[in-house]
Amino acid sequence: MFEPAIARAARAYTGLSQKLLGEAAGVAKRTVFRLEKNGKVEKRSLDRILSAFERLGVVMLHGERGAVRGMEFRPRRAGGDSR
């Protein structure tokens, strides 16, 4: 499970719609919606979304037990989609 508020905040930072984030991550818009609603998506989908966030300048910060405790914003990588 992933904290929905963190997912919503990360997407807000990117400026992408759910549809565009889904396209950037290679998942359906509905998957992004579920992540932001209740944090429950398949691990593979979550990994794809987190990779897309990282490409867009959002890096997740993990606590001692591996749970995401926050995020950090970094400059976007060259070639990153800035829609």
Side-chain angles (χ1 to χ4, degrees):
M1 181 153 156
F2 191 86
E3 183 61 42
I6 292 175
R8 289 189 300 269
R11 185 173 61 80
Y13 173 79
T14 68
L16 297 179
S17 65
Q18 289 178 342
K19 179 181 184 219
L20 289 176
L21 176 58
E23 289 175 5
V27 300
K29 174 187 170 191
R30 181 81 178 140
T31 302
V32 176
F33 172 81
R34 279 195 320 270
L35 180 66
E36 293 183 357
K37 182 178 180 190
N38 61 26
K40 296 179 183 178
V41 296
E42 292 181 10
K43 182 181 180 338
R44 181 176 172 201
S45 296
L46 178 59
D47 289 346
R48 287 179 172 199
I49 293 169
L50 293 179
S51 290
F53 279 143
E54 190 169 340
R55 287 190 308 274
L56 294 164
V58 181
V59 178
M60 298 300 158
L61 303 174
H62 300 271
E64 292 177 18
R65 298 178 187 237
V68 174
R69 62 174 175 80
M71 64 189 131
E72 189 173 276
F73 306 111
R74 297 185 180 155
R76 293 178 178 165
R77 292 182 187 169
D81 190 346
S82 61
R83 282 184 268 173

